Amino acid sequence: SFCDGDFKGPESCCCGEPRIFLGALAFSFFAKGFSGSYMKSMSTQIERRFEISSSVVGIIDGSFEIGNLMVMILVSYLGSKVHRPKVIAAGCLIMSFGTFLSVMPHFLMGRYNYERIQLTEENSSTSLSACSLVLPLHRCEKVASSYLWIFVLMGNLLCGIGEAPIMPLGMSYVDDFSKEENSAFYIGTIRSCGMVGPTLGFLLGSFCANLWVDVGMVDLESLTINPKDTRWVGAWWLGLVICGAVSFLASLPFWFLPYSLPKEGDEKNLNKLSESSPSHWHDTQLSFPDFLPTLKKLLGNPVFLVYLLLTILQYNSMVGLITFETKFMEQQFNVSVSRAIFLIGVILLPITILGMFLGGFIIKKFKLHITGMAKFGCATFIAAYLLNLLYFTCDCEVLQVAGLTVSYSGVKQSSFPKNNLIASCNSDCSCVLNQWDPVCGDNGITYMTACFAGCKSSIGTGKNMVFHNCSCVQVEGLESGNSSAVLGQCQRESCTKTFPYFLALLSTCALILALGGTPTYMIMFRSVSPDLKSFAVGIDALCGRILGGLPAPIYFGALIDQTCLKWGTKRCGGSGSCRVYDTKAFRNVYLGLIAGLRAGCCFLYITLFILIIKRFRPASNELIDLKSTEVSSRKGSTSVSKNETFPCAKALAANEETCL
């Protein structure tokens, strides 16, 4: 049989059926989306667990793109010269290994000890004083755990290497062996099925983010923080174990799939394939002398070149948005990271899936030509961009932290030097300046620690601890020193109220963008010659990743770091992860970057549409198809297909390079 190496036709081997490959490819898209989205959702947890900045998190995130870069050109250029299903299978295995490698630091670091202070006990066993000599709860122990995030980086890099073959080889395989009218529908369906992976990945991320990192190893009642605290670290490692197992399962069916499949509905191809033996395929010489001419030919196509620039800008905006969206929601709208991840998984991603599926369906239903695809994609993106500008109306007040954003008397100022952290009300408390264990006073102001609030006594334990006689907490109607404070930073109710409007706007924009996603993606297939499809997909993904996916999380993270008001402190000194951001500056940087990148996308969409209108000319109110014209020219036929093509289709018959 075909599976055993002797081709006898697909009817003798179930694994040769196109639907089996479509199912396997859809599951591999699910696996890579599941693993990738889970890693994205855990970026905040990883940042806090390893006490690193957002820019370092961006480097870890970008390592995935580096892995893609290392092999993308190779797998894309080889295209149909290799056994594509088996290469995809090997890629899924590498993804699995990389995911398991990322888990290792959890078992090497020991238990997580979050930043907090130790209160000194007074005469009463039920009363603890915060306003006295305060020492760190844990002694400094020199360990190498600060650098264990490199394991996560290397694991993510391997995931990028493993993911590289799936899209270019899988998509070209589908397009090669499906009818032209079904190709867009199949690809849209596969991508839609693949989007189920990110949905479940974010749901798993939400579940794990709500679990304590050392779940099962510590008494949760002893914790003084909850998932809304910026020091909380969820069980980031647990979901990675599941992701690794899913990637391993995704590799299995591809080992049993054939090198090639007959053209859908074409019996002649079946006979041609039966006359060819697998040895002919495996004897193909893999040479690279024509690589540069092929690349020059591809980049000489102005439609594809503008499409490539558009992809790069879109990658920048989307990667930056996805990487830091949960952090933005947490800081801007006062929601926990786990809730933000959950909402993305159950609302935003299903809407995106629906939009992508409808986009592919619209192409098939209305039989859109390349000009129709360009018009539809351009219109939807510009509409989404205009709605995107409304994000700036979702304003939120900056967290009032005494000595950072407001004075101890409650007067708001833009910034404060460190020496303003000490006021007359806490000058006798010997507070440590670089500690962060916030309390919320009765006056609605957050204090860095109970010591900075001037609290003289406390009752209760764990999360239920309440501080009394806080000299810095001034409340109208109460005598000085009679105010109290509770653990945790104060909630910003006005921010919480605007969150539903932001979520509705975000969902609407996602639906509109997803509608135009599949038609825009199909422009690439219809604007290059058939023999360059696999190479075009690879170059598109490569440039998007190296110029978009790689730098975007790094410069997004670096600029977001500039809006930090208070950095955490590692046990042995040095800055950890950020505890409090200037929410207005965060919003302006984050949304401003996205809006600027998408403004460039709008310009390129319009340029692309104009180029396509000029390049694809009507012939008797219809468009000529490049692929069909090539076949007709080779047969010497003067008939043309009733589809779409370049205006230079006739010249292509004589010299293919003149068109590209």
Side-chain angles (χ1 to χ4, degrees):
S1 69
F2 202 160
C3 300
D4 297 328
D6 297 323
F7 183 82
K8 296 180 180 179
E11 71 278 4
S12 64
C13 179
C14 65
C15 68
E17 295 290 340
R19 63 177 178 271
I20 303 297
F21 180 83
L22 292 174
L25 186 62
F27 187 70
S28 69
F29 266 65
F30 166 83
K32 74 184 184 69
F34 182 66
S35 179
S37 64
Y38 180 81
M39 277 297 295
K40 291 284 188 185
S41 70
M42 289 293 106
S43 60
T44 301
Q45 312 301 322
I46 292 172
E47 176 183 341
R48 295 172 182 173
R49 181 63 182 97
F50 295 96
E51 290 290 353
I52 54 180
S53 64
S54 295
S55 56
V56 176
V57 171
I59 294 173
I60 293 175
D61 187 82
S63 64
F64 181 91
E65 315 303 338
I66 296 175
N68 261 262
L69 170 64
M70 293 170 63
V71 296
M72 180 63 74
I73 292 181
L74 179 64
V75 297
S76 301
Y77 178 70
L78 295 181
S80 59
K81 299 177 183 179
V82 297
H83 196 301
R84 284 176 284 184
K86 288 188 177 180
V87 173
I88 295 174
C92 291
L93 278 182
I94 295 174
M95 284 175 56
S96 178
F97 178 75
T99 305
F100 288 133
L101 180 63
S102 298
V103 179
M104 289 186 61
H106 172 73
F107 301 101
L108 299 175
M109 294 179 69
R111 296 183 183 181
Y112 171 56
N113 296 309
Y114 57 92
E115 180 186 3
R116 63 190 190 276
I117 63 173
Q118 179 179 350
L119 303 177
T120 58
E121 189 173 353
E122 295 182 335
N123 295 332
S124 172
S125 61
T126 60
S127 179
L128 298 175
S129 174
C131 184
S132 58
L133 183 60
V134 184
L135 300 174
L137 183 62
H138 302 284
R139 294 179 180 177
C140 173
E141 298 176 1
K142 290 290 183 180
V143 292
S145 60
S146 299
Y147 303 99
L148 288 178
W149 56 267
I150 295 176
F151 279 87
V152 184
L153 183 146
M154 294 302 298
N156 209 32
L157 184 142
L158 286 176
C159 286
I161 292 175
E163 190 265 356
I166 296 177
M167 177 173 286
L169 299 189
M171 289 302 192
S172 62
Y173 195 92
V174 171
D175 197 59
D176 282 347
F177 304 108
S178 61
K179 292 180 180 178
E180 185 172 339
E181 61 268 25
N182 292 334
S183 178
F185 180 72
Y186 288 157
I187 291 175
T189 302
I190 289 171
R191 296 179 71 193
S192 299
C193 292
M195 285 298 293
V196 177
T199 300
L200 295 184
F202 273 97
L203 291 179
L204 179 63
S206 174
F207 174 76
C208 292
N210 228 18
L211 296 176
W212 182 243
V213 60
D214 297 313
V215 59
M217 300 178 64
V218 298
D219 180 14
L220 298 182
E221 295 298 324
S222 65
L223 299 178
T224 60
I225 59 176
N226 57 44
K228 276 195 172 184
D229 197 288
T230 54
R231 293 164 293 170
W232 176 274
V233 176
W236 61 276
W237 58 274
L238 184 60
L240 288 177
V241 175
I242 300 173
C243 291
V246 171
S247 295
F248 175 78
L249 292 176
S251 70
L252 297 180
F254 287 104
W255 295 112
F256 306 100
L257 283 164
Y259 178 94
S260 184
L261 289 174
K263 187 74 173 179
E264 188 178 35
D266 192 347
E267 298 300 329
K268 293 182 179 181
N269 278 317
L270 182 62
N271 296 329
K272 290 179 181 179
L273 284 171
S274 63
E275 295 172 0
S276 303
S277 65
S279 61
H280 292 151
W281 297 322
H282 292 293
D283 289 340
T284 302
Q285 297 297 318
L286 304 179
S287 58
F288 297 91
D290 58 338
F291 174 79
L292 290 178
T294 303
L295 181 62
K296 181 180 179 182
K297 177 181 177 182
L298 187 63
L299 296 182
N301 180 349
V303 174
F304 178 77
L305 187 60
V306 173
Y307 176 87
L308 196 60
L309 295 174
L310 176 62
T311 296
I312 292 170
L313 287 187
Q314 284 184 317
Y315 256 93
N316 275 270
S317 64
M318 291 304 298
V319 170
L321 184 147
I322 294 171
T323 303
F324 297 104
E325 184 69 16
T326 54
K327 179 188 286 287
F328 176 76
M329 289 183 180
E330 177 195 35
Q331 294 295 325
Q332 192 72 30
F333 300 105
N334 199 35
V335 299
S336 66
V337 173
S338 60
R339 186 185 175 211
I341 296 171
F342 176 80
L343 291 173
I344 290 175
V346 300
I347 298 178
L348 196 60
L349 287 181
I351 287 176
T352 303
I353 293 171
L354 176 63
M356 291 176 67
F357 180 81
L358 289 177
F361 178 77
I362 289 172
I363 295 176
K364 181 177 176 65
K365 178 69 175 178
F366 297 98
K367 299 179 179 179
L368 294 181
H369 299 296
I370 188 170
T371 52
M373 294 178 190
K375 183 185 298 183
F376 186 73
C378 183
T380 53
F381 191 90
I382 292 176
Y385 176 73
L386 295 176
L387 285 175
N388 190 59
L389 297 178
L390 296 178
Y391 287 151
F392 289 95
T393 63
C394 300
D395 196 6
C396 185
E397 65 184 68
V398 178
L399 179 67
Q400 298 185 47
V401 183
L404 285 178
T405 59
V406 296
S407 67
Y408 277 87
S409 60
V411 178
K412 296 182 180 180
Q413 295 187 26
S414 58
S415 62
F416 285 84
K418 284 190 175 182
N419 56 11
N420 272 22
L421 295 174
I422 302 298
S424 58
C425 59
N426 59 24
S427 58
D428 60 340
C429 290
S430 303
C431 301
V432 180
L433 294 178
N434 60 359
Q435 289 183 335
W436 177 260
D437 192 7
V439 295
C440 179
D442 290 338
N443 57 358
I445 295 178
T446 299
Y447 299 84
M448 285 179 33
T449 65
C451 179
F452 284 103
C455 300
K456 305 299 189 299
S457 62
S458 66
I459 58 173
T461 58
K463 299 183 183 72
N464 300 318
M465 185 177 292
V466 179
F467 298 90
H468 294 284
N469 299 322
C470 302
S471 58
C472 293
V473 181
Q474 302 175 9
V475 181
E476 187 177 351
L478 292 178
E479 294 183 7
S480 178
N482 289 338
S483 299
S484 62
V486 295
L487 282 172
Q489 60 190 47
C490 297
Q491 302 300 309
R492 293 167 292 160
E493 297 300 329
S494 62
C495 303
T496 306
K497 291 178 181 178
T498 60
F499 183 60
Y501 301 102
F502 171 81
L503 198 61
L505 181 61
L506 186 65
S507 301
T508 304
C509 289
L511 177 63
I512 297 174
L513 282 173
L515 275 173
T518 300
T520 302
Y521 188 73
M522 290 306 300
I523 290 175
M524 176 175 56
F525 284 98
R526 298 295 174 254
S527 63
V528 300
S529 57
D531 61 308
L532 294 179
K533 281 186 298 185
S534 178
F535 192 47
V537 173
I539 292 298
D540 172 65
L542 173 67
C543 291
R545 284 183 164 91
I546 187 174
L547 298 176
L550 177 57
I554 298 175
Y555 69 74
F556 264 81
L559 290 174
I560 288 172
D561 282 340
Q562 300 303 310
T563 68
C564 183
L565 294 176
K566 176 65 178 74
W567 291 95
T569 304
K570 297 179 181 179
R571 290 198 299 176
C572 295
S575 297
S577 59
C578 187
R579 305 304 187 201
V580 177
Y581 290 92
D582 182 337
T583 51
K584 287 189 177 180
F586 190 152
R587 181 199 63 185
N588 292 336
V589 166
Y590 178 70
L591 297 180
L593 279 173
I594 294 173
L597 290 168
R598 289 185 173 175
C601 289
C602 288
F603 173 76
L604 290 175
Y605 257 113
I606 295 172
T607 304
L608 183 66
F609 177 65
I610 294 173
L611 284 175
I612 289 175
I613 291 295
K614 291 182 177 179
R615 193 176 182 98
F616 292 81
R617 67 167 179 237
S620 301
N621 297 324
E622 293 175 342
L623 297 174
I624 309 169
D625 181 69
L626 171 65
K627 190 185 299 184
S628 299
T629 304
E630 285 183 313
V631 174
S632 300
S633 299
R634 289 167 188 162
K635 292 180 178 179
S637 174
T638 58
S639 61
V640 295
S641 172
K642 297 181 179 182
N643 288 312
E644 57 199 45
T645 190
F646 294 121
C648 55
K650 293 182 180 179
L652 181 63
N655 185 357
E656 242 180 10
E657 294 185 10
T658 60
C659 287
L660 300 178

